[in-house]
Amino acid sequence: MSVVTEGIDDEEFIGDETEAERQARLETEVVLDQTSQAFVDQIVAKMLVIVDEVSGHPLYGYQRPFAARMIESLIINDGATLTALFSRQSGKSETVANTVAACMIMFPRLAKIFPELMGKYKEGLWVGAFAPVEEQADNLYGRIVARLTSEHALEIMADPEIDDTVHGRGRSISLKRSGSLVRKQTCHPRATIEGRTYHLILIDECQGADEKMVNKSIGPMGASTNATMVFTGTPSYEKGVFFKQIQINKRQATRRGARQNHFDADWKEVSKWNENYARFVKKELLRIGEDSDEFKLSYRLMWLLDKGMFTTGERLDDLGDVSMQAVHAYHKSPVVIGIDPARKQDSTIVTAVWVRWDQPDEYGYFEHRILNWMDLQGMDWEAQYFRIVEFVRNYNVLAVAVDEGGVGDVVISRLKVLLPDIEIVPLGSQRPEQSKRWKHLMELLDRGLLSWPAHAYTRRLKTYKRFRQQMEDLEKKFEGPYVLAAAPNAADAHDDYADSLALACVLTKDYTMPEVEQSNSPFR
């Protein structure tokens, strides 16, 4: 089997890596050729059959991709950190327990058949089951033990080709002949964690896990084995290691060829597979209310963060127009354009926005629609200028707003020469100017006067994925009377698309409405 650790096209990656980070990524990414991937897929498919046999019932449709990715990560040894955000009592711990039990039984046998691929499990699969407190750790550990000691599992282990038995009790349990074991431990910040070694590290109810404990004490337990880590839980009021890893996994998923490392299933998705679950949650919806904190956290998978987010994923879903594709040229009425020039670790983003000039609402706000984005990443400025001009000339442009901070002054001067017939509007980076445009963007979002292309084809585009992820990441900050927004302080987090959009939209706040023909929206 050929396992290649070559990087894929750097154009698809967010260009904020240091050379050391880039080199580390290239050396650790696991990319399989087509034949090898097909072979791994066959093993995963057969393992899923064993998972169903061990549990006594098949996994639901929303559980199966998560279980498959766990198995695949262990097989190809990519050391992935997986996250699963499932609604309460939807079977996330059950999925993990069933999958782990099946792998503990089968992997030592597969290691003998495929020593090059799975040889590190020849002495067993070693699993650490963690949770913030002892009682929560008992829940996950108890489920794994229950699966291993179930009638179905014992029947499988009684097969002459396997011939294994369960041994141990208390904090750990093992399979006597293969050497597989699972041990429960807590990740409470005051706990003293022994220096164990694991192939698979599980952290249940991860929203309550201590970040320092996870990163400093638990993570290194998988260093010598390149362990796979699995974080499961539900949303909470605070950002922690679980939330941050989810955002990392979502951002990485926007890269071409990346494997899916985050999985989620809200109550509506779970209800498609379980009628009893649907009935119960609907009764809870009536009892405590759809907009109650408890329902949002437990069933709608909404993070109620203390710092506050600029918008929510649910709101972004509502505002995206699934019937609209990106519009690459438009001259029927004036549009506005925002340009956020690249700084050292960012991309230059250009956003074209259509405005319904002839129908302001009672407060003077216009309907806005994003027509298209252009992402100029890893390109020198001389080339960027002409790409920007080419993009702008595809539209009937009223004005172009440019952030004059950083290299903005130079960009503005150059564009005034290259686009003499279009007004180039410099917008400051001081807090009052930024607050004005962020407040205006918030108003448009709140009033439902902003939308964008979200057709199935458009959703596959790199520009759409980055726009959506950056809007979902965007944090709202209050500094005195000013409302600001910025990307979180995390790897791969950016706010270039949001900045570019805010720059374009603020042009309509105080701008004199141009003379335009009254017509129906061409995007309806």
Side-chain angles (χ1 to χ4, degrees):
M1 169 163 296
S2 175
V3 179
V4 184
T5 56
E6 295 179 354
I8 58 180
D9 187 359
D10 279 346
E11 183 184 354
E12 297 297 323
F13 284 80
I14 299 172
D16 64 345
E17 296 174 318
T18 65
E19 183 57 33
E21 290 170 339
R22 178 179 178 277
Q23 190 63 32
R25 171 172 59 78
L26 293 175
E27 292 176 357
T28 57
E29 275 187 329
V30 175
V31 181
L32 302 182
D33 59 52
Q34 189 172 0
T35 302
S36 299
Q37 185 64 59
F39 179 69
V40 170
D41 290 344
Q42 288 181 358
I43 298 177
V44 171
K46 292 177 180 179
M47 280 300 306
L48 288 173
V49 174
I50 302 298
V51 172
D52 290 343
E53 288 292 328
V54 168
S55 64
H57 56 79
L59 294 169
Y60 289 125
Y62 63 90
Q63 297 171 320
R64 187 164 292 271
F66 174 42
R69 181 67 182 103
M70 284 178 59
I71 297 168
E72 180 191 52
S73 178
L74 289 168
I75 292 172
I76 67 176
N77 192 32
D78 63 358
T81 300
L82 312 182
T83 51
L85 186 70
F86 286 11
S87 61
R88 287 287 180 190
Q89 297 301 310
S90 59
K92 57 184 178 295
S93 299
E94 192 74 9
T95 304
V96 172
N98 295 342
T99 305
V100 168
C103 291
M104 287 176 64
I105 295 170
M106 298 304 302
F107 273 27
R109 278 79 196 173
L110 292 174
K112 296 178 181 178
I113 302 172
F114 311 112
E116 182 180 347
L117 182 64
M118 302 180 65
K120 73 175 186 177
Y121 306 117
K122 63 182 179 180
E123 296 179 2
L125 173 66
W126 308 328
V127 183
F130 296 83
V133 296
E134 188 76 24
E135 185 176 348
Q136 292 170 331
D138 282 340
N139 177 52
L140 177 59
Y141 175 73
R143 288 176 185 270
I144 297 173
V145 172
R147 293 288 80 75
L148 288 172
T149 57
S150 68
E151 182 179 344
H152 298 282
L154 293 175
E155 185 177 340
I156 292 171
M157 286 187 283
D159 186 290
E161 293 186 6
I162 297 177
D163 187 24
D164 214 338
T165 57
V166 178
H167 175 72
R169 60 181 181 178
R171 303 192 67 85
S172 67
I173 189 170
S174 62
L175 301 185
K176 192 170 183 180
R177 291 180 62 87
S178 68
S180 292
L181 65 87
V182 58
R183 181 181 292 108
K184 68 173 178 178
Q185 296 183 264
T186 70
C187 51
H188 191 278
R190 295 182 180 179
T192 302
I193 299 180
E194 302 174 27
R196 304 286 185 172
T197 298
Y198 299 114
H199 297 117
L200 177 62
I201 295 172
L202 312 172
I203 304 181
D204 199 20
E205 302 299 341
C206 192
Q207 72 276 4
D210 182 76
E211 185 171 4
K212 183 177 180 181
M213 179 65 74
V214 172
N215 294 336
K216 183 177 182 296
S217 300
I218 298 176
M221 293 182 181
S224 64
T225 58
N226 191 31
T228 294
M229 300 180 72
V230 178
F231 297 171
T232 54
T234 50
S236 70
Y237 291 94
E238 298 178 352
K239 290 183 179 180
V241 67
F242 187 42
F243 177 87
K244 292 178 181 178
Q245 188 62 47
I246 288 173
Q247 298 307 107
I248 289 171
N249 285 349
K250 285 183 175 181
R251 287 192 289 270
Q252 291 177 344
T254 65
R255 299 173 175 178
R256 189 177 67 189
R259 288 183 168 82
Q260 180 182 354
N261 287 336
H262 174 68
F263 303 83
D264 54 40
D266 63 9
W267 76 273
K268 292 181 180 179
E269 178 63 27
V270 179
S271 297
K272 295 176 184 177
W273 303 90
N274 189 328
E275 292 183 3
N276 288 330
Y277 188 89
R279 293 192 187 98
F280 176 81
V281 177
K282 287 176 181 177
K283 289 190 295 182
E284 288 294 277
L285 186 151
L286 295 172
R287 184 175 72 85
I288 62 179
E290 185 180 20
D291 292 324
S292 66
D293 284 4
E294 295 80 6
F295 196 87
K296 288 178 179 178
L297 292 168
S298 297
Y299 302 111
R300 294 176 65 184
L301 305 186
M302 296 177 64
W303 292 84
L304 306 181
L305 303 172
D306 54 342
K307 291 180 69 175
M309 305 303 290
F310 193 81
T311 187
T312 65
E314 188 175 61
R315 185 60 174 157
L316 295 172
D317 287 338
D318 292 339
L319 295 176
D321 187 343
V322 296
S323 66
M324 179 184 176
Q325 295 189 39
V327 179
H328 299 284
Y330 182 80
H331 293 89
K332 292 183 179 179
S333 63
V335 306
V336 290
I337 287 180
I339 300 177
D340 184 49
R343 293 168 178 79
K344 184 177 180 181
Q345 295 184 341
D346 298 318
S347 302
T348 293
I349 304 300
V350 186
T351 304
V353 180
W354 172 85
V355 184
R356 186 190 285 273
W357 296 105
D358 55 342
Q359 294 184 24
D361 70 5
E362 58 183 317
Y363 299 101
Y365 291 94
F366 301 101
E367 179 189 349
H368 296 63
R369 278 179 177 260
I370 296 173
L371 297 179
N372 199 7
W373 306 269
M374 182 170 66
D375 188 333
L376 300 175
Q377 177 185 297
M379 184 181 297
D380 66 79
W381 267 108
E382 285 305 314
Q384 286 194 34
Y385 289 129
F386 292 100
R387 288 290 302 276
I388 291 171
V389 170
E390 182 182 18
F391 182 87
V392 170
R393 291 302 186 193
N394 288 324
Y395 304 93
N396 174 10
V397 179
L398 175 68
V400 177
V402 183
D403 184 352
E404 62 181 356
V407 298
D409 290 338
V410 179
V411 176
I412 291 165
S413 299
R414 189 66 180 274
L415 291 180
K416 284 182 177 180
V417 174
L418 295 172
L419 299 167
D421 55 320
I422 295 175
E423 183 174 5
I424 309 298
V425 182
L427 295 179
S429 297
Q430 300 301 313
R431 285 185 296 179
E433 289 85 354
Q434 286 202 45
S435 182
K436 177 182 176 180
R437 53 185 181 254
W438 289 123
K439 285 180 179 179
H440 184 62
L441 186 60
M442 285 176 59
E443 286 288 349
L444 296 179
L445 289 168
D446 291 344
R447 295 170 184 271
L449 293 175
L450 178 63
S451 58
W452 46 82
H455 187 272
Y457 176 79
T458 305
R459 292 199 301 271
R460 296 198 296 268
L461 299 177
K462 173 182 62 179
T463 49
Y464 173 85
K465 291 179 179 180
R466 289 180 177 172
F467 164 76
R468 173 59 193 260
Q469 187 60 54
Q470 290 185 21
M471 290 295 293
E472 195 167 342
D473 283 349
L474 199 64
E475 292 180 351
K476 181 169 56 181
K477 300 180 180 180
F478 297 93
E479 295 184 10
Y482 305 117
V483 178
L484 306 177
N489 184 21
D492 284 346
H494 299 265
D495 52 22
D496 314 311
Y497 280 82
D499 274 331
S500 175
L501 176 60
L503 288 164
C505 290
V506 78
L507 289 175
T508 70
K509 180 174 176 57
D510 300 320
Y511 221 84
T512 303
M513 185 175 69
E515 294 292 331
V516 296
E517 283 187 35
Q518 184 170 352
S519 62
N520 293 328
S521 166
F523 312 111
R524 297 295 184 188

